[in-house]
Amino acid sequence: MSSTVDFEIRERSRELPGRIARFPFPFPRDTYRYSTNVEPAGSVVDTAAGRWGAHPVDIDGYYVEDLAERERVLGEDPTRFQALPHMEIAQWDAMITLMRMLVDADPRTFSLDRKGGIRRFTNRALDVEQAFVFGERSTLPEPPLRFIGRHIQEDVVLLDQRDGALWGDAGLVTFAADWSLRFDVGMSFLQIHGPVPRVHTEGVIPRAQKFLMGLQAGQRYRRTNWSLTVDRRLDQSTETYPQWGRDRRLLAEGPLEDVGRRLNLRVEVQHLVRLGASGALMFLIRTYLLPFEDIARVPEWSDRLYRVLDELPEDMADYKGVTRTREPGLRWLLTYGGVQP
């Protein structure tokens, strides 16, 4: 049976564009509630369209485009990079770890060599080669976390562990989904998640923190999160709300036939990695966007997305920012997406 399923997945993934075949569709059932939904990282996940999840960092067809967008965002707002002074060693630790992850994911494009105390990182896709000495800031053109951010599509937050809690004390976040690193830096894990509905009364966040604090050096876990985004806009930070907030209203008031092209299911694959040298926790956030018209090419996805959105409680829809967009999304799926209610 499993070999038949594998064959069907391979055949379907050949027929679909890579953006669909590699998309991390996040719904295992017809309803959605907040949970820790954490699993060990590194194993491949089969979907109705293909597969994803082989590596904690993912290099895809949007690589150059996404990195150019990151540079544009940082050029307009350098505060998207934050690092408290005591997180210096954690920055170096994260940089080396991410370089090794890039090499593991694509050794033809990336390399990391060492001769004595000098390391040399190469990114052939961007034609970059950088020699450096671990821990010596003068050997890099910028802070370590800022440097490695030029080479990965993921956002990064570094959590320090002290006083029986986790603290978000450094990060490079240009593709936030309605939150602000500048506002959150220095806050505890519990404070950062304060606005999320239901999770405190149900104990989700305290359980998550306890789990994360128990991770040992080198352990890697992952989870997914989701929302809806109008157009292919990665940067939905609180700082830029005036630029993207009105799009929700305009989409809802516009022609229904435009919804399939403009409304995207936004999925974050979040990796949690305990670093070795610093003991910090590295939180990687990779954002994927897939328009409803592409989701409709996978009937299992469009049917399940409809049922999740239709059943989602109002308080969760409001927190996720989908209150305005889910109704046109549901109507489009019924009218154009082949869904039977």
Side-chain angles (χ1 to χ4, degrees), residues 33 49 52 60 91 108 114 129 145 175 265 325-326 329:
R33 294 295 184 273
W52 66 274
D60 63 14
Q91 285 196 64
R108 294 175 299 178
R114 181 173 182 175
E129 183 176 294
L145 194 60
F175 306 143
L265 176 60
T325 52
R326 74 163 165 174

Side-chain angles (χ1 to χ4, degrees), residues 81 88 91-92 95 137 140 142-149:
F81 167 71
E88 180 74 10
Q91 285 196 64
W92 285 95
M95 185 185 77
R137 175 68 74 84
L140 282 180
E142 56 194 337
L145 194 60
R146 176 67 183 86
F147 176 81
I148 196 60

Side-chain angles (χ1 to χ4, degrees), residues 23 229 231-234 264-267 287-291:
F23 187 72
T229 292
D231 298 328
R232 185 175 167 75
R233 180 184 286 274
L234 288 168
N264 288 258
L265 176 60
R266 178 187 181 111
V267 176
T287 300
Y288 299 84
L289 299 172
L290 195 67

Side-chain angles (χ1 to χ4, degrees), residues 201-268:
T201 56
E202 297 173 8
V204 173
I205 298 303
R207 287 199 305 273
Q209 178 172 252
K210 183 178 180 180
F211 171 79
L212 293 174
M213 291 176 64
L215 292 186
Q216 302 301 305
Q219 284 189 302
R220 302 173 180 182
Y221 284 80
R222 71 182 175 210
R223 65 184 299 272
T224 58
N225 195 16
W226 69 275
S227 60
L228 301 179
T229 292
V230 179
D231 298 328
R232 185 175 167 75
R233 180 184 286 274
L234 288 168
D235 178 20
Q236 287 197 192
S237 64
T238 306
E239 288 89 342
T240 58
Y241 178 80
Q243 299 174 26
W244 55 265
R246 67 172 187 167
D247 290 341
R248 299 171 177 176
R249 174 180 56 82
L250 295 175
L251 181 83
E253 296 173 353
L256 182 62
E257 55 266 29
D258 288 350
V259 171
R261 172 180 55 85
R262 297 194 62 196
L263 187 59
N264 288 258
L265 176 60
R266 178 187 181 111
V267 176
E268 293 178 353

Side-chain angles (χ1 to χ4, degrees), residues 53 323 333:
T323 301
L333 288 169

